[in-house]
Amino acid sequence: MAQKKAHEVDGWLARPDPATSVVLVYGPDRGLVSERAAAFARGSGLPLDDPFTVVRIDAAEAEAAGRLLDEARTVPMFADRRLVWLRGAANNAALASAISALTADPPEGCLILVEAGDLKKGTALRSAVESGKSAMALPCYADDARGVDAVIDEVLGAAGLSIALGARQLLKANLGGDRLATRSELEKLALYCAGVSEVRAEDVRASIGDASKLSADDAVDAVMCGRIAEFDTLFARHLASGSPPFLVLSAALRHVQALQLMRAQMEAQGKTPAAAVASARPPVFFARRRMVEQALQHWNRKMLEAAADRLHRAILKSRQHQAVSEPVSRQALLALAIEGARAAR
């Protein structure tokens, strides 16, 4: 099978097989897909700013009138090889057919680089690459702890910065959902710490914003992902800070309404959870993206409608009877957390 496991991709990119003519880079982490595709393009040794040697096209153009096959079969005039760089690919039958033709009969003097979103195992485009000769499929999933550590060291090291253990742990708790977002936050942190030698926890807090503002959102994410014990801790912390309990209810209702919109896109347009989150407006805060994607996977439209109704009733009751606002809020949110836990099984 012409594919690599997630942890093998960087090693392959460092030493790609010169016989490979078709490379598919895909996955839910669109930032990592873009970064790795660019790394392969640079590794080709071709001048990326030369439009005669490097042809960039999007998926819609590739599907029209056989554009991808025409470009792949074009004889290079000003270099030994050409690179055809296709972006925004999805599991389209016409595109998969073109890729199958290119893997069955690899073009002379041309590399085909395809960037795609999350492709499930067995989809036509993945199968065309994984079963083809002279082809390679490279998956890109959200960074795990080791991957986040590597990016932290790379970006801060380039800025001449070390990082204290507590600061690293705080950073890792807020990074990893998307590679480009991770790099952006780290570059912002490096700029904030210019002129010092070590990043401290207080620098991280100042750079990523006031963590107390996120406490209600953190509790809501725990609810929707079915993390009951975590919700209980965060809700207690929210109350201990002196914040009224109905604020968590209001945050939960706003979040459920946003999930309803994203879920509708998934069902109407066939978007993956990652794609729906990436296109959300207003954008989802980078540190929450993974939790929001998990919620979209587990909560269907009917469940979200019921959750919104429960929250509306709880908000009304908590304001009509302020003396029992805390238990009413906790009971409603705990019920949703239990439902989220069941949905995640």
Side-chain angles (χ1 to χ4, degrees):
M1 298 290 284
Q3 61 177 314
K4 293 293 179 183
K5 295 181 179 178
H7 68 275
E8 300 173 329
V9 173
D10 287 329
W12 188 89
L13 286 171
R15 295 176 297 278
D17 184 351
T20 302
S21 59
V22 178
V23 174
L24 168 66
V25 188
Y26 71 93
D29 189 336
R30 300 307 295 270
L32 187 54
V33 168
S34 177
E35 181 174 296
R36 284 175 166 168
F40 177 80
R42 289 192 301 270
S44 70
L46 296 172
L48 301 186
D49 57 349
D50 182 352
F52 296 101
T53 304
V54 178
V55 180
R56 292 177 170 87
I57 56 180
D58 62 35
E61 292 177 294
E63 295 161 10
R67 172 84 188 278
L68 178 60
L69 289 174
D70 289 343
E71 292 288 357
R73 303 297 185 195
T74 299
V75 177
M77 297 178 61
F78 305 106
D80 295 333
R81 295 183 302 164
R82 297 171 78 239
L83 172 67
V84 177
W85 192 342
L86 173 63
R87 289 172 167 160
N91 188 42
N92 177 275
L95 179 58
S97 177
I99 293 295
S100 292
L102 292 171
T103 57
D105 182 17
E108 292 288 338
C110 186
L111 291 172
I112 312 297
L113 173 60
V114 181
E115 287 186 43
D118 194 13
L119 300 174
K120 303 300 181 184
K121 186 175 180 62
T123 53
L125 183 55
R126 270 188 65 175
S127 297
V129 175
E130 292 173 353
S131 61
K133 61 181 181 179
S134 303
M136 181 58 66
L138 306 175
C140 298
Y141 301 110
D143 288 317
D144 57 13
R146 183 182 300 178
V148 173
D149 271 323
V151 182
I152 290 173
D153 291 337
E154 177 189 343
V155 176
L156 297 185
L161 293 166
S162 61
I163 182 167
L165 179 59
R168 180 182 291 272
Q169 292 172 337
L170 183 58
L171 258 182
K172 289 170 66 175
N174 290 279
L175 299 176
D178 179 272
R179 176 65 68 89
L180 288 184
T182 294
R183 283 191 178 277
S184 175
E185 291 300 317
L186 288 171
E187 288 165 0
K188 182 174 69 175
L189 176 62
L191 182 62
Y192 179 83
C193 293
V196 301
S197 60
E198 184 181 63
V199 177
R200 301 165 301 173
E202 50 264 41
D203 298 322
V204 175
R205 294 190 186 96
S207 177
I208 66 172
D210 184 358
S212 65
K213 294 178 182 178
L214 300 177
S215 60
D217 288 338
D218 291 340
V220 170
D221 286 335
V223 166
M224 300 308 292
C225 290
R227 301 181 180 183
I228 299 171
E230 183 178 340
F231 155 70
D232 210 30
T233 299
L234 291 169
F235 188 66
R237 186 183 301 169
H238 175 84
L239 296 177
S241 70
S243 299
F246 74 83
L247 287 182
V248 183
L249 285 176
S250 298
L253 180 58
R254 288 194 303 271
H255 187 51
V256 167
Q257 291 169 338
L259 288 175
Q260 287 178 301
L261 292 174
M262 288 185 273
R263 186 74 201 189
Q265 288 184 346
M266 290 171 58
E267 296 177 4
Q269 303 174 25
K271 287 187 175 183
T272 63
V277 172
S279 62
R281 293 294 179 273
V284 178
F285 183 60
F286 77 98
R288 301 184 65 202
R289 289 182 182 177
R290 185 180 300 179
M291 300 281 275
V292 176
E293 290 172 14
Q294 289 178 7
L296 283 172
Q297 290 174 340
H298 300 145
W299 290 76
N300 59 36
R301 186 181 295 189
K302 185 176 181 180
M303 293 167 63
L304 289 170
E305 288 175 356
D309 182 62
R310 181 188 291 272
L311 290 168
H312 274 297
R313 287 186 279 108
I315 289 172
L316 178 61
K317 188 173 182 180
S318 69
R319 292 182 176 177
Q320 289 176 333
H321 307 282
Q322 294 188 11
V324 293
S325 175
E326 180 180 330
V328 165
S329 301
R330 187 179 186 281
Q331 182 179 15
L333 292 165
L334 184 58
L336 293 181
I338 292 171
E339 189 170 351
R342 289 172 179 164
R345 290 174 185 168

